[in-house]
Amino acid sequence: MKKPMLICLGLFFSQTIHASALYFYEIGTEDTALAGAGQAARAQDASTIVTNPAGMTRLPEHMFTGGLQAMNGDVSYSLKDETGRKSPGNIMQLFPNASAFYTQKVNDDLYAGIGLYGNYGLSIDFGNWQGDRLIKKSTMVAMTLSPSVAYKLNDRLSVGGSVNANYGFLSLTRNVGGNDEKQQDHDWAMSYRLGLLMELTDQTRAGITWTSQTKYNFDIDGKVRLPNLPNAEYDLPISAQVRAPQQIMLSLVHDINKQWSVMGDLGWQDWSQFGAPQITVSSRDLDKNSRLKDSWHTALGAQFRPTEQWRLNAGVAFDSTVYDSQSDVALTLPTGDEWRFATGAQYQITQQSNIGVAASYLHMQSSHVQSPALYKGSYDDPYFWFVNVNYSYQF
């Protein structure tokens, strides 16, 4: 639950983080405008495949939902000692994303669907800085194909499940002997999602979703020569692992009347299961101490329908940090406590189709990097922004 960016590389990439880390809820749908609030219980379009597959039982016979999104921000890194040294500055790059979902009614009780989306990834650029022997640029792109089914047990209770085929691609560029060297690898990983949707009353429904962990393994080999040891060349068989932990999301939606609905979330992610970073150099394990702990998510949102054509959304969310201490975070994973503020609108074009826009601002807690010691520094008040457009058609 959080924020689909997951990167871990060698000395500087220790563990990846979803939600309280950088695994984003924003996937180019109406969830962006609500900061994810009510995600496991709303089931208003085909993207419910990602938030709770059981929600497909609330949709029309055939429905398509697609979205386009852009993410950017300011994540500036400053070296602790800049005497004669150059800090990277803002390492963020514009990161586009897209998603598509289709659902259909098989019979009165059985529904099926498929989704293609990306909810984590990141493109960062440290540029020509003091530590470019470690990293200059890195891009992680992950896409998920999610076949799903849902079954209506009765008029008030539905269950659903998804089998997720996740494809990940990782590239790393750094300075080797005065020249840029680019390495890349890719991997497939499987994960699973189970959901339950309950209509507690005619106005209130609850949803709960469990998602299993996703574990990518990227193997990138390289050599690095550190400036303080000019005569020593290190062989770095980097075992870089990108993981998203198992998580549980509980959501409530209450329709106050025909115009107003309120909703909320409570979520948990099992980051402590990953223990110490899985990093080896020359067959020697590094940094055995775990920096990670479980993270928690909560969100509140509201929908207002001033007319039959318009639906206005707003939401706020909080995700706790996955680090035990903000004084010791990974160089390429600057995360902490996160606040989201979001808004957007949906417009009903015809009886069958609607279009929406959304924007979200994410403010992150400052953090400090202690290792590698030569490149100690801090990320001060980093932030991200997301904008997207989405479209749904029922037939």
Side-chain angles (χ1 to χ4, degrees):
M1 310 196 295
K2 208 171 183 175
K3 346 218 184 104
M5 157 179 151
L6 300 176
I7 303 183
C8 278
L9 278 176
L11 295 172
F12 33 92
F13 285 20
S14 90
Q15 294 264 142
T16 59
I17 309 225
H18 174 108
S20 305
L22 295 174
Y23 178 176
F24 301 104
Y25 303 113
E26 293 83 359
I27 54 172
T29 65
E30 195 168 4
D31 283 301
T32 301
L34 289 158
Q39 58 184 279
R42 280 188 297 107
Q44 291 176 311
D45 60 45
S47 68
T48 190
I49 285 173
V50 139
T51 54
N52 187 350
M56 289 190 290
T57 61
R58 290 181 55 85
L59 302 182
E61 291 193 4
H62 303 270
M63 192 170 194
F64 167 82
T65 298
L68 297 173
Q69 178 184 298
M71 176 186 78
N72 208 332
D74 188 328
V75 183
S76 295
Y77 187 64
S78 300
L79 291 170
K80 183 177 181 180
D81 179 9
E82 292 185 312
T83 305
R85 305 199 302 170
K86 181 181 179 182
S87 293
N90 184 17
I91 66 172
M92 274 295 299
Q93 289 188 317
L94 182 68
F95 194 82
N97 200 0
S99 60
F101 306 91
Y102 172 75
T103 63
Q104 74 171 52
K105 181 179 180 180
V106 179
N107 57 44
D108 288 343
D109 298 319
L110 182 64
Y111 291 70
I114 190 167
L116 179 64
Y117 60 93
N119 67 334
Y120 48 93
L122 185 67
S123 180
I124 56 178
D125 186 353
F126 282 79
N128 296 312
W129 71 300
Q130 188 71 20
D132 59 8
R133 291 172 177 83
L134 291 177
I135 182 173
K136 290 189 71 173
K137 298 179 182 180
S138 182
T139 299
M140 166 66 187
V141 178
M143 294 296 293
T144 299
L145 183 67
S146 186
S148 307
V149 294
Y151 187 78
K152 186 184 294 185
L153 298 175
N154 54 53
D155 289 341
R156 293 194 178 274
L157 185 62
S158 299
V159 295
S162 302
V163 176
N164 307 313
N166 307 280
Y167 174 79
F169 172 83
L170 177 66
S171 71
L172 169 67
T173 301
R174 56 185 172 187
N175 179 358
V176 179
N179 298 310
D180 285 354
E181 179 181 279
K182 184 176 182 179
Q183 302 169 72
Q184 58 190 39
D185 195 14
H186 64 92
D187 192 30
W188 286 91
M190 298 301 296
S191 63
Y192 310 92
R193 181 177 299 111
L194 299 175
L196 180 70
L197 185 64
M198 301 162 282
E199 293 196 20
L200 304 179
T201 70
D202 291 340
Q203 290 78 38
T204 306
R205 58 187 179 275
I208 186 168
T209 306
W210 169 82
T211 304
S212 70
Q213 72 165 306
T214 305
K215 180 180 178 181
Y216 294 101
N217 293 280
F218 298 106
D219 293 319
I220 296 177
D221 295 326
K223 296 179 184 296
V224 60
R225 187 187 296 275
L226 299 179
N228 64 327
L229 298 171
N231 297 318
E233 188 176 68
Y234 286 82
D235 218 354
L236 298 180
I238 299 171
S239 181
Q241 300 183 328
V242 177
R243 302 168 172 180
Q246 68 169 326
Q247 57 181 305
I248 296 174
M249 180 71 76
L250 172 64
S251 300
L252 286 172
V253 173
H254 178 66
D255 300 323
I256 299 173
N257 51 42
K258 291 183 178 181
Q259 286 189 307
W260 284 97
S261 297
V262 293
M263 56 209 68
D265 290 338
L266 180 62
W268 166 81
Q269 290 184 333
D270 189 15
W271 280 105
S272 62
Q273 68 174 302
F274 293 142
Q278 302 296 309
I279 299 170
T280 59
V281 177
S282 299
S283 301
R284 182 167 55 88
D285 293 336
L286 296 183
D287 193 1
K288 280 293 189 179
N289 296 322
S290 175
R291 308 184 204 180
L292 304 182
K293 63 181 180 180
D294 293 350
S295 64
W296 293 88
H297 162 85
T298 186
L300 293 173
Q303 290 187 328
F304 175 57
R305 293 169 285 274
T307 69
E308 292 184 359
Q309 285 74 39
W310 286 98
R311 183 166 66 228
L312 308 180
N313 300 298
V316 59
F318 174 78
D319 289 272
S320 65
T321 182
V322 299
Y323 284 116
D324 283 328
S325 171
Q326 291 304 115
S327 297
D328 186 17
V329 307
L331 175 63
T332 51
L333 193 60
T335 188
D337 291 343
E338 298 176 6
W339 282 95
R340 277 180 170 76
F341 304 92
T343 189
Q346 299 289 127
Y347 179 73
Q348 197 72 32
I349 305 171
T350 68
Q351 188 174 356
Q352 290 78 32
S353 64
N354 71 76
I355 190 170
V357 294
S360 177
Y361 171 80
L362 186 160
H363 184 271
M364 191 180 297
Q365 184 181 11
S366 297
S367 56
H368 300 272
V369 175
Q370 300 296 331
S371 178
L374 285 174
Y375 309 115
K376 288 182 180 181
S378 62
Y379 291 98
D380 296 320
D381 297 315
Y383 67 84
F384 296 87
W385 56 257
F386 306 82
V387 292
N388 72 255
V389 58
N390 58 81
Y391 175 79
S392 291
Y393 185 80
Q394 52 182 284
F395 50 96

